[in-house]
Amino acid sequence: MAKVLIVLGSDSDLKRIEACFTTLDDFSIDWDLELCSAHRSPERARDLALNAEANYDLIIAGAGLAAHLPGVLAASTLLPVIGVPLAAGPLNGQDALYSIVQMPPGIPVATVGIDGGKNAAVLALEILALKEPELRDKLREFRLEQARKLEAKNQSIKAGLASGH
């Protein structure tokens, strides 16, 4: 069964990435959470990444400000790392976005939008689905459900507009 390691630089980041947890839970994907800082606990970050391959299929790392955590983890593992820039500090996550997306050649970090925990989870699911056909089927249904919800909203808006004319 697939398992994801989620690493955050601070407990203050928990609310910003909550959608990641719930999305993985919705798809019955096991995950663990670790708090670790690329700057305040660099040895721990390296150890987490080095040992992750034994227990996990990929890593999601959320960080704000300088946001080195996803890159530090990616440098020490062959697992895919998905970086989530988090809105923190005076630049509201733009600094984190640039830090995560601008990795040097050869050490990639997949990057989602600022506070994009849900998209990080969905991207993780798509990667995991490459080896798990049941997960691929759940993702197809998820996409269809998104389309159904949008169409229902579309019809509701049209009905509301028609009654006002």
Side-chain angles (χ1 to χ4, degrees):
M1 180 58 128
K3 193 166 186 182
V4 174
L5 174 61
I6 302 170
V7 185
L8 298 177
S10 170
D11 63 336
S12 64
D13 299 331
L14 285 168
K15 278 200 182 267
R16 288 192 172 91
I17 200 160
E18 201 169 83
C20 180
F21 307 148
T22 57
T23 302
L24 292 173
D25 287 344
D26 288 346
F27 282 83
S28 302
I29 298 297
D30 289 335
W31 54 272
D32 288 329
L33 173 66
E34 295 285 345
L35 295 182
C36 181
S37 170
H39 302 107
R40 294 182 300 269
S41 56
E43 295 85 10
R44 178 162 157 62
R46 182 170 163 74
D47 286 346
L48 273 174
L50 287 171
N51 295 311
E53 289 179 44
N55 299 305
Y56 302 98
D57 297 288
L58 60 85
I59 298 171
I60 296 173
L65 303 171
H68 289 120
L69 183 59
V72 166
L73 296 171
S76 296
T77 186
L78 295 177
L79 292 177
V81 175
I82 301 170
V84 183
L86 301 173
L91 299 178
N92 289 319
Q94 290 182 30
D95 47 353
L97 173 64
Y98 288 137
S99 178
I100 296 171
V101 80
Q102 292 293 340
M103 289 297 297
I107 308 293
V109 172
T111 309
V112 296
I114 297 169
D115 289 346
K118 182 169 186 157
N119 270 355
V122 173
L123 179 56
L125 294 165
E126 290 173 350
I127 292 167
L128 297 171
L130 293 170
K131 293 197 301 189
E132 296 192 25
E134 303 108 28
L135 188 52
R136 194 173 307 134
D137 293 340
K138 287 182 181 180
L139 276 167
R140 279 193 189 95
E141 183 55 37
F142 169 75
R143 294 256 178 115
L144 289 171
E145 183 60 24
Q146 286 185 311
R148 285 192 286 267
K149 285 179 181 177
L150 182 59
E151 185 54 29
K153 288 178 184 179
N154 181 45
Q155 294 304 319
S156 177
I157 289 170
K158 284 182 176 185
L161 291 175
S163 66
H165 283 32

